[in-house]
């Protein structure tokens, strides 16, 4: 803007006074040169009060920002219009739209600052009100009006988000459905006002116990949900469910009433039993109704597609990390016997896990889980240290030195620093390398030959023995004897079990022994269980034997007792079910001509109700007091493990429940004795049915009326048939 004549100045002054906007001019010292009528009206200062004075409308918190703007104008910069707060004479603030311009003289030099100001306070108020309304509308769209909890819409969005996260991270997600027991009666009796206040109190209690990662919502009525994510242990689900049930133990005080109310909880899990969001919601809802049917004030976990094996794997997987951290995995020792002298020449260290619910768990069940969860290296080091420490202790106690064998898994052996780890453990325990033998399966060697060969050589150079376990099961067994030069091969038990009856297995075992003899490799026969096997293996000059004929895997103290003797003679008999159990039976048993096909499930474990799918088993004998059945699942004999069996006899469906009182392992299958827990009336009915059944069995006329097995046990328990 040019100020090159009095006429121009006069025209500008007139424009200033006639403009509906506040127009203010400042000189280079930030003193007011012009102040029009709208400025007086907008800010409350009259022209004579401000002319020649410092610019009065800048609040303290805007001072720095204004100084920068003014400095920019004074060097000729153009400034965009901007929103800002400006001060009135009465101390209040207005929202203003500021449009600053440079004031030039006739020589194009910046002489001052000119600003056009528009009061937009009303517009801003309207804008804020609209924003508040939008926020309220959004809150109403996503949050429950009564309790303030997220509503069904937000629940569905959150469940979808957490489901995708669990799917991506392969973690466990749990959904809980809560329904208040007897709420409708209370609501109808005391009125909706009391009912609404009770719901608000329930929401308050649920919100107070939730963890940071939990999501609590109200779907409507008296239905609430809890989403549990980032679960590390199954017990977290049980803990939360029990906490919720405890919330309802104390009365709810609403106005003058002291209300006692409980809740039923249904729980579904991903990926165990629910593979999509729809199933997750449906199964939680169904489980909630089952909890109500079971008497209310309890929770049920619903997983119809999860059989016992899957459920067991799930619980073991969740508990393994804690077991490793707390060093709850222990070792048993099975002696290796010199076949000529029966002298104990070694021991295999065999890991076991004493699980609080599943009893003793074998490495076949938890080593794979340790590999999947990244715990195998830590666990492997713990077990190696334990075995070396114990062997050195036996030597220090004066026992004849023996070689201790420790199994290594594939992932454990593929560690970059595995050789250093073994060397450090030997140094820490003081055990000489020659008394340690590392066992690695033939399959592992075949799949990772390039990586493993060098490490085996380094371990061998240290003086450590190398054993190839399960030998004979691979596709190129003989070639690996030459490549890897093990000190020992252990013939897989599958070849030993049938000798000398099975000609092919006998010839394979004989060939392995003869070849190993020529290569000067020791041979250990695993799984020796009969005197016939023992006699034949001695005849064909098998170096060592290991198996139940001599000793099962035993604890340290028991192993020390036979170590004192120095020898381990074969047993004269075969271990079988305790015959005294038969004599104590209160009821008769029917020995079946063929096993009955049955379905089994767990209904309660450790006092916790569970809902699982059915697993196929075979009933070997049956009576009014119980059954003997065979399964491919390892279960602990404990009174608080309640099983339900379902089978068909004489075209009738028979369902009975009970607990396991004894267990045996026969041919890699588990045999159990189940004692029924049934009422006398049902037992009388069962006795009558079984009497008819026994008569017809004698007459050989029941094949088509009962679910007898029509194939072999091996085929029945094959993975394909068990799916």
């Amino acid at each position: 803007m040019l100020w090159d004549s009095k006429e121009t100045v006069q025209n500008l002054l007139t424009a200033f006074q006639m403009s509906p906007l506040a127009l203010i001019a400042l000189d280079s010292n930030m003193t007011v040169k012009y102040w029009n009528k709208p400025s007086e009206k907008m800010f409350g200062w009259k022209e004579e009060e401000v002319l020649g004075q410092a610019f009065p409308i800048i609040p303290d918190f805007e001072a720095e920002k204004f100084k920068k703007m003014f400095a920019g104008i004074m060097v000729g910069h153009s400034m965009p219009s901007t929103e800002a707060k400006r001060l009135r004479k009465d101390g209040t603030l207005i929202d203003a739209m500021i449009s600053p311009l440079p004031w030039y003289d006739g020589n194009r030099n910046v002489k001052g600052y000119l600003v056009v100001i528009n009061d937009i306070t009303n517009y801003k108020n309207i804008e804020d009100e609209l924003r508040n309304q939008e926020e309220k509308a959004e809150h109403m769209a996503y949050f429950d009006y009564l309790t303030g909890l997220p509503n069904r819409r937000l629940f569905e969005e959150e469940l979808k988000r957490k489901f995708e996260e669990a799917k991506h991270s392969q973690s466990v997600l749990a959904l809980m459905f809560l329904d208040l027991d007897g709420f409708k009666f209370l609501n109808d009796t005391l009125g909706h006002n009391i009912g609404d206040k009770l719901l608000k109190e329930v929401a308050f209690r649920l919100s107070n116990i939730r963890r940071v990662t939990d999501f609590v919502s109200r779907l409507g009525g008296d239905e609430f949900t809890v989403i549990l994510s980032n679960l590390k242990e199954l017990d977290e689900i049980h803990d939360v469910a029990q906490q919720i049930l405890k919330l309802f133990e104390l009365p709810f005080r609403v106005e003058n009433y002291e209300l006692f109310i409980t809740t039923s909880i249904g729980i579904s899990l991903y990926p165990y039993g629910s593979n999509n969001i729809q199933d997750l919601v449906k199964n939680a809802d169904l489980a909630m109704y089952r909890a109500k049917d079971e008497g209310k004030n309890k929770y049920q976990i619903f997983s119809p597609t999860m059989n016992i094996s899957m459920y067991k794997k799930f619980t073991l997987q969740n508990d393994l990390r804690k077991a490793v951290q707390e060093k709850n995995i222990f070792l048993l020792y099975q002696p290796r016997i010199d076949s000529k002298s029966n002298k104990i020449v070694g021991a295999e260290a065999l890991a076991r896990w004493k699980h609080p619910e599943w009893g003793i768990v074998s490495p076949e069940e938890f080593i794979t889980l340790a590999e999947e969860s990244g715990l195998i290296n830590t666990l492997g080091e713990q077990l190696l240290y334990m075995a070396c420490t114990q062997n050195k202790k036996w030597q220090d106690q004066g026992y004849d030195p023996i070689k201790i064998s420790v199994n290594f898994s594939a992932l454990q052996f593929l560690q970059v620093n595995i050789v250093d780890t073994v060397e450090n453990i030997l140094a820490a325990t003081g055990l000489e390398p020659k008394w340690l033998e590392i066992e690695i399966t033939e399959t592992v060697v075949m799949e990772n030959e390039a990586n493993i060969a060098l490490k085996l050589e380094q371990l061998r150079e240290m003086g450590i023995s190398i054993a190839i376990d399960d030998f004979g099961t691979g596709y190129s067994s003989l070639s690996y004897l030459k490549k890897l030069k093990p000190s020992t091969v252990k013939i897989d038990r599958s070849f030993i079990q049938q000798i000398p009856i099975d000609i092919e297995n006998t010839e394979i075992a004989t060939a392995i022994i003869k070849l190993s003899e020529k290569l000067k490799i020791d041979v250990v026969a695993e799984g020796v269980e009969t005197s016939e096997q023992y006699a034949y293996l001695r005849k064909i000059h098998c170096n060592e034997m290991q198996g139940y004929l001599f000793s099962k895997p035993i604890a340290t103290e028991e192993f020390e007792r036979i170590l004192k003797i120095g020898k381990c003679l074969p047993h004269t008999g075969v271990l079988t079910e305790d015959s005294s159990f038969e004599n104590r039976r209160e009821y008769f048993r029917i020995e079946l001509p063929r096993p009955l096909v049955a379905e089994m499930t767990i209904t309660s474990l450790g006092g916790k109700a569970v809902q699982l799918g059915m697993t196929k088993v075979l009933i070997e004998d049956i009576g009014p007091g119980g059954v003997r059945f065979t399964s491919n699942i390892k279960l602990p004999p404990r009174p608080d493990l309640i099983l339900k069996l379902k089978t068909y006899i004489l075209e009738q469906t028979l369902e009975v429940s009970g607990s396991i009182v004894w267990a045996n392992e026969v041919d890699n299958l588990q045999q159990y004795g189940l004692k029924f827990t049934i009422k006398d009336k049902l037992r009388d009915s069962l006795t009558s049915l079984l009497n008819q059944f026994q008569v017809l069995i004698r007459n050989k006329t029941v094949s088509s009326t009962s679910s007898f097995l029509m194939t072999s046990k091996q085929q029945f328990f094959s993975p394909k048939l068990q799916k």
Side-chain angles (χ1 to χ4, degrees):
M1 182 175 293
L2 300 178
W3 294 73
D4 55 354
S5 68
K6 290 183 179 180
E7 184 178 355
T8 300
V9 173
Q10 187 59 48
N11 289 336
L12 287 171
L13 289 172
T14 302
F16 269 39
Q17 298 303 327
M18 294 178 63
S19 172
L21 303 175
L23 296 171
I24 303 169
L26 306 180
D27 62 15
S28 59
N29 295 319
M30 285 195 286
T31 58
V32 179
K33 299 300 292 182
Y34 297 100
W35 184 274
N36 67 352
K37 291 294 183 184
S39 298
E40 291 182 359
K41 184 176 180 181
M42 189 178 296
F43 295 105
W45 284 284
K46 294 191 176 296
E47 182 181 15
E48 58 267 28
E49 291 179 286
V50 295
L51 287 179
Q53 302 298 318
F55 199 30
I57 68 171
I58 307 300
D60 291 341
F61 61 87
E62 290 269 22
E64 274 308 308
K65 183 179 176 182
F66 174 75
K67 286 178 181 178
K68 289 180 181 179
M69 182 189 297
F70 187 88
I73 290 290
M74 293 305 294
V75 295
H77 291 169
S78 295
M79 295 288 175
S81 296
T82 183
E83 291 183 15
K85 294 286 186 181
R86 290 297 179 254
L87 185 66
R88 288 170 50 83
K89 185 178 181 180
D90 61 6
T92 59
L93 296 171
I94 65 168
D95 292 291
M97 179 63 71
I98 308 296
S99 301
L101 295 167
W103 162 17
Y104 295 97
D105 63 13
N107 296 319
R108 298 294 298 175
N109 295 318
V110 179
K111 189 175 183 179
Y113 171 96
L114 179 67
V115 63
V116 180
I117 302 175
N118 185 17
D119 185 355
I120 60 170
T121 303
N122 290 336
Y123 298 112
K124 293 292 289 184
N125 290 339
I126 294 171
E127 199 172 83
D128 290 342
E129 181 61 25
L130 289 173
R131 188 180 298 109
N132 289 336
Q133 291 297 330
E134 287 174 0
E135 290 174 356
K136 287 180 181 178
E138 185 175 5
H139 189 274
M140 290 176 65
Y142 286 100
F143 290 86
D144 176 48
Y145 74 97
L146 178 66
T147 63
L149 291 176
N151 63 11
R152 182 182 292 273
R153 181 177 176 183
L154 187 53
F155 158 76
E156 290 173 350
E157 292 184 9
E158 187 69 6
L159 181 61
K160 182 178 180 181
R161 186 180 70 82
K162 288 186 177 293
F163 182 88
E164 291 301 321
E165 286 179 356
K167 192 174 180 182
H168 178 72
S169 62
Q170 297 183 334
S171 58
V172 178
L173 181 71
L175 173 62
M176 294 182 167
F177 265 32
L178 283 67
D179 188 87
L180 304 187
D181 301 325
F183 177 79
K184 187 178 185 302
F185 173 79
L186 183 149
N187 206 35
D188 291 344
T189 305
L190 301 180
H192 293 281
N193 181 49
I194 299 297
D196 286 350
K197 289 182 177 180
L198 174 61
L199 292 173
K200 291 172 73 172
E201 286 296 317
V202 170
F204 177 76
R205 291 190 187 183
L206 287 174
S207 297
N208 280 348
I209 69 155
R210 73 178 183 85
R211 303 170 305 174
V212 175
T213 55
D214 296 344
F215 183 85
V216 179
S217 65
R218 179 192 177 213
L219 298 188
D222 60 333
E223 293 181 336
F224 297 84
T225 66
V226 182
I227 303 174
L228 308 179
S229 55
N230 299 320
L231 294 167
K232 295 181 176 60
E233 297 180 357
L234 180 64
D235 278 345
E236 289 182 65
I237 301 170
H238 292 293
D239 289 343
V240 172
Q242 288 165 355
Q243 273 188 294
I244 292 173
L245 293 178
K246 284 185 178 179
L247 289 180
F248 292 81
E249 291 179 357
L250 295 173
F252 291 86
R253 302 185 187 281
V254 179
E255 293 188 1
N256 296 323
Y257 296 99
E258 190 175 69
L259 305 175
F260 290 88
I261 195 166
T262 59
T263 187
S264 297
I265 307 170
I267 306 170
S268 61
L269 309 175
Y270 168 83
Y272 298 95
S274 303
N275 294 319
N276 54 61
I277 293 175
Q278 292 74 24
D279 284 347
L280 199 65
V281 172
K282 179 188 71 177
N283 291 343
D285 201 31
L286 290 172
M288 183 266 293
Y289 282 108
R290 169 156 182 163
K292 285 188 177 293
D293 290 340
E294 293 288 332
K296 304 177 182 178
N297 192 29
K298 59 182 59 180
Y299 65 92
Q300 287 283 345
I301 297 178
F302 185 87
S303 46
T305 62
M306 187 194 296
N307 59 28
I308 295 171
S309 181
M310 290 172 61
Y311 180 72
K312 183 178 182 182
K313 179 181 177 181
F314 173 57
T315 55
L316 293 179
Q317 194 170 33
N318 277 278
D319 297 340
L320 182 58
R321 185 172 298 277
K322 183 178 179 182
V324 172
Q325 289 173 346
E326 298 182 356
K327 299 182 180 180
N328 289 334
I329 314 292
F330 64 95
L331 289 175
L332 297 179
Y333 300 92
Q334 189 173 32
R336 276 169 40 180
I337 311 300
D338 179 89
S339 59
K340 293 179 181 179
S341 64
N342 291 325
K343 184 179 179 181
I344 299 172
V345 293
E348 182 177 359
L350 297 163
R352 296 292 186 268
W353 174 14
K354 190 172 183 180
H355 190 272
E357 291 181 341
W358 298 105
I360 302 299
V361 182
S362 68
E364 288 81 6
E365 295 181 273
F366 67 78
I367 290 298
T368 301
L369 299 178
E371 290 179 336
E372 291 172 355
S373 59
L375 295 169
I376 187 62
N377 294 339
T378 303
L379 176 59
E381 290 178 23
Q382 287 180 6
L383 297 177
L384 180 61
Y385 185 87
M386 289 165 58
C388 292
T389 300
Q390 185 57 63
N391 200 20
K392 183 63 168 66
K393 184 178 179 181
W394 284 329
Q395 292 179 10
D396 293 343
Q397 289 174 340
Y399 298 117
D400 290 341
I402 62 171
K403 193 174 290 184
I404 198 85
S405 300
V406 180
N407 293 277
F408 274 49
S409 78
L411 289 181
Q412 184 185 357
F413 207 87
L414 290 174
Q415 292 178 79
V416 175
N417 63 339
I418 184 63
V419 175
D420 292 337
T421 299
V422 173
E423 188 175 19
N424 292 337
I425 289 175
L426 286 172
T429 59
L431 184 69
E432 293 181 63
K434 65 180 179 180
W435 302 118
L436 173 64
E437 182 174 78
I438 290 175
E439 291 191 21
I440 187 166
T441 65
E442 183 184 4
T443 306
V444 170
V445 175
M446 289 170 60
E447 293 175 352
N448 306 279
E449 181 183 352
N451 290 325
I452 287 178
L454 177 61
K455 293 172 183 174
L456 288 177
E457 181 62 31
Q458 291 173 326
L459 291 168
R460 194 165 34 247
E461 288 176 357
M462 289 169 55
I464 297 169
S465 300
I466 305 298
I468 304 298
D469 198 12
D470 299 339
F471 190 78
T473 57
Y475 297 104
S476 306
S477 302
L478 300 181
S479 65
Y480 282 98
L481 292 180
K482 182 178 179 181
K483 290 180 182 179
L484 301 174
K485 301 176 183 177
S487 53
T488 306
V489 294
K490 302 185 77 173
I491 304 175
D492 187 72
R493 66 181 65 246
S494 62
F495 298 113
I496 303 300
Q497 285 177 344
Q498 300 301 319
I499 64 171
I501 299 170
D502 186 284
I503 296 174
E504 289 184 357
N505 282 349
T506 302
E507 289 180 349
I508 290 172
T510 303
I512 293 172
I513 291 169
K514 286 182 177 180
L515 179 63
S516 299
E517 188 176 6
K518 289 181 180 179
L519 296 174
K520 297 182 180 180
I521 298 172
D522 289 335
V523 180
V524 179
E526 292 186 293
V528 180
E529 296 179 353
T530 68
S531 56
E532 290 79 12
Q533 294 166 2
Y534 171 64
Y536 188 83
L537 288 166
R538 291 186 72 181
K539 180 181 176 181
I540 59 177
H541 307 294
C542 179
N543 303 107
E544 298 177 24
M545 299 184 205
Q546 179 182 341
Y548 276 43
L549 184 66
F550 304 97
S551 173
K552 63 182 180 179
I554 52 180
T556 305
E557 297 77 11
E558 195 174 350
F559 190 87
E560 285 180 5
R561 284 197 287 271
I562 63 171
L563 203 56
K564 283 181 181 179
I565 302 170
K567 288 187 177 183
C568 195
L569 299 176
H571 298 292
T572 55
V574 179
L575 297 176
T576 60
E577 178 192 343
D578 185 0
S579 59
S580 63
F581 183 81
E582 294 275 358
N583 298 331
R584 293 197 305 270
R585 284 178 179 160
E586 186 178 353
Y587 305 96
F588 69 89
R589 285 287 181 95
I590 301 173
E591 290 292 339
L592 302 169
R594 294 193 306 277
L596 282 170
V597 176
E599 292 181 317
M600 174 185 73
T601 189
I602 297 174
T603 59
S604 178
L605 178 58
K608 300 173 183 175
V610 292
Q611 183 170 344
L612 305 174
M614 306 297 282
T615 299
K616 298 285 187 182
V617 298
L618 294 176
I619 294 176
E620 308 282 357
D621 69 27
I622 186 169
V627 298
R628 183 175 85 245
F629 72 92
T630 300
S631 173
N632 57 355
I633 301 172
K634 291 184 179 180
L635 298 169
R638 52 183 292 178
D640 57 355
L641 172 64
I642 308 300
L643 303 179
K644 181 170 75 174
L645 290 180
K646 177 181 178 182
T647 190
Y648 298 92
I649 295 177
L650 303 183
E651 298 183 340
Q652 295 186 43
T653 300
L654 176 64
E655 288 191 15
V656 286
S657 296
S659 57
I660 297 172
V661 292
W662 61 262
N664 282 328
E665 184 172 340
V666 180
D667 296 333
N668 294 322
L669 292 173
Q670 311 303 314
Q671 209 172 67
Y672 300 103
L674 184 80
K675 183 178 180 181
F676 294 154
T677 51
I678 55 179
K679 294 181 179 179
D680 290 342
K681 187 176 181 180
L682 177 59
R683 198 186 306 277
D684 291 343
S685 176
L686 176 59
T687 301
S688 176
L689 175 66
L690 293 179
N691 282 330
Q692 298 175 51
F693 189 44
Q694 191 168 32
V695 171
L696 293 173
I697 285 176
R698 289 169 183 166
N699 296 331
K700 301 180 180 180
T701 57
V702 294
S703 295
S704 61
T705 62
S706 305
S707 57
F708 283 108
L709 178 67
M710 304 304 291
T711 184
S712 68
K713 286 185 182 180
Q714 287 73 22
Q715 288 177 316
F716 178 79
F717 285 114
S718 70
K720 290 183 180 179
L721 292 179
Q722 285 291 302
K723 285 183 179 178

